[in-house]
Amino acid sequence: MLWFKCDEIIPGVAIAVGFIAICLGGFFLSYEYDPIVNVEILCSMAEEGENQRDIFRQAGKTAVILGHTGETGRVLVKLLAQEKLFKKVTLIGRREIPLDKEVVGPEFEQKVVDFEKLDDYEEDFKGHDVGFWCLGTTKAKSGEEGFKRVDYDYVLKTAELAKSGGMKHLQFMSTHSADHTSSLLYTRTKGQVEEALKVMHFERLSILRPAVLMVDRQESRKMEAFARFVLTPVSKLFPTAITVPIEYVATAMINIAVSTTDKNCETFENKEIHVLSGKSPICQKKEKTKTK
């Protein structure tokens, strides 16, 4: 028979839980209210992205999405199909997936490639103005070597082919805290890819670093599902701290593509992605402050 002193243990546990909650709250609060240095520029880019769509359509540009079968890629395809910003969109992946013909128009074309023989598909990477690189896997799914093969080798090789094929603007979906010197495989690999892409000298390179993506994945990832469950209330209280809805990421990518800049390389952190999506109240608050 187990026995313990409830009057001693329960209050102690309650104090410990309360202390941890206060610490986490302070941590999230510091992230949430950490000022964005270039907020005016980001708000301007989001507004330009919204306002310049008609002009952008008339330019008749083409795009390619790498990783269109993933969660971000799927949302991006849906939004681009609705907006009809490009005269042609090539979807490159290792397999073909059913597309909703009521949403996706004839300007979308799927290309199936063997990533182990990418040189054989050089023609598929030619003639694109904008590239959205959303390709990625996990160590749990593919193992360490498989992860590096996909997230490093495939990403860089396809970027090289796209660059030699005339691509002007590449957008790469990286991750929060990406750092080529990190001790963690995931963030280190993403950081290494970022550094390698920079020396390819695209006319414009846009790197997005979203934190935890809020999305119900079609592919089951238990740890991510648990993290989203725990972080759902956090995302309500501190929406820009360490989470971002996947629709915000896709919309931000579109706004970045449509907007103009004099920078050759730009990196957008999680909070900045919220602003670039045009869905964050941050820009509205800034506008109200100016008019007062």
Side-chain angles (χ1 to χ4, degrees), residues 6-24:
C6 295
D7 59 336
E8 294 181 8
I9 294 179
I10 292 179
V13 171
I15 292 172
V17 171
F19 177 76
I20 293 173
I22 292 172
C23 290
L24 287 174

Side-chain angles (χ1 to χ4, degrees), residues 226-265:
F226 176 74
R228 286 193 299 275
F229 173 77
V230 172
L231 291 174
T232 294
V234 175
S235 68
K236 304 298 183 184
L237 295 171
F238 312 103
T240 68
I242 58 170
T243 62
V244 60
I246 198 165
E247 292 82 5
Y248 283 28
V249 179
T251 304
M253 296 179 90
I254 294 173
N255 284 339
I256 292 169
V258 175
S259 65
T260 57
T261 181
D262 57 358
K263 292 184 178 180
N264 299 114
C265 181

Side-chain angles (χ1 to χ4, degrees):
M1 180 176 179
L2 297 176
W3 174 86
F4 59 88
K5 298 180 179 180
C6 295
D7 59 336
E8 294 181 8
I9 294 179
I10 292 179
V13 171
I15 292 172
V17 171
F19 177 76
I20 293 173
I22 292 172
C23 290
L24 287 174
F27 171 77
F28 293 136
L29 195 66
S30 65
Y31 264 90
E32 182 68 21
Y33 290 99
D34 186 29
I36 304 174
V37 177
N38 55 343
V39 64
E40 288 82 7
I41 296 175
L42 296 173
C43 289
S44 177
M45 288 179 65
E47 183 178 359
E48 182 183 358
E50 289 292 336
N51 296 336
Q52 299 296 316
R53 275 163 161 68
D54 286 339
I55 296 175
F56 190 87
R57 290 187 189 95
Q58 293 171 13
K61 295 187 177 183
T62 60
V64 56
I65 301 176
L66 184 73
H68 68 287
T69 61
E71 299 298 339
T72 305
R74 287 175 184 269
V75 176
L76 186 57
V77 168
K78 180 180 178 180
L79 293 180
L80 287 178
Q82 293 172 350
E83 302 250 19
K84 298 188 181 301
L85 293 170
F86 296 93
K87 70 175 184 180
K88 180 181 178 182
V89 181
T90 303
L91 309 175
I92 294 181
R94 63 181 177 81
R95 60 188 174 90
E96 189 170 317
I97 62 171
L99 298 176
D100 187 349
K101 297 301 182 182
E102 294 184 1
V103 177
V104 179
E107 71 272 19
F108 286 82
E109 180 182 10
Q110 294 192 71
K111 295 283 189 179
V112 178
V113 304
D114 182 348
F115 282 92
E116 293 297 323
K117 302 176 181 179
L118 282 169
D119 286 326
D120 295 342
Y121 301 90
E122 185 177 355
E123 290 296 319
D124 294 332
F125 290 90
K126 286 184 177 180
H128 304 293
D129 298 298
V130 182
F132 302 96
W133 259 225
C134 307
L135 185 67
T137 186
T138 64
K139 180 181 175 182
K141 179 180 178 181
S142 304
E144 182 171 337
E145 290 305 314
F147 167 75
K148 290 191 290 187
R149 188 77 173 146
V150 173
D151 279 56
Y152 186 86
D153 295 340
Y154 293 170
V155 169
L156 292 181
K157 180 59 179 179
T158 51
E160 289 175 359
L161 292 173
K163 174 68 165 54
S164 61
M167 181 179 290
K168 305 292 191 298
H169 182 193
L170 176 69
Q171 294 194 41
F172 170 58
M173 185 172 166
S174 185
T175 190
H176 177 66
S177 298
D179 182 352
H180 69 283
T181 64
S182 174
S183 60
L184 300 175
L185 174 66
Y186 189 74
T187 52
R188 182 175 69 251
T189 303
K190 294 293 187 181
Q192 290 172 342
V193 172
E194 289 183 9
E195 295 304 309
L197 289 174
K198 289 175 183 177
V199 299
M200 288 187 189
H201 301 296
F202 282 89
E203 288 188 16
R204 185 181 180 187
L205 172 64
S206 303
I207 298 170
L208 291 88
R209 291 178 175 174
V212 179
L213 295 174
M214 302 305 287
V215 56
D216 293 326
R217 287 188 179 275
Q218 294 185 1
E219 176 187 273
S220 176
R221 294 183 182 180
K222 294 182 180 179
M223 289 302 295
E224 285 191 15
F226 176 74
R228 286 193 299 275
F229 173 77
V230 172
L231 291 174
T232 294
V234 175
S235 68
K236 304 298 183 184
L237 295 171
F238 312 103
T240 68
I242 58 170
T243 62
V244 60
I246 198 165
E247 292 82 5
Y248 283 28
V249 179
T251 304
M253 296 179 90
I254 294 173
N255 284 339
I256 292 169
V258 175
S259 65
T260 57
T261 181
D262 57 358
K263 292 184 178 180
N264 299 114
C265 181
E266 51 199 354
T267 301
F268 303 109
E269 302 294 345
N270 189 69
K271 197 168 185 177
E272 296 171 323
I273 293 172
H274 277 263
V275 177
L276 282 166
S277 72
K279 301 177 182 295
S280 170
I282 292 176
C283 295
Q284 297 172 5
K285 290 178 182 178
K286 287 287 180 181
E287 193 63 32
K288 289 180 180 179
T289 303
K290 287 181 180 181
T291 56
K292 286 183 180 180

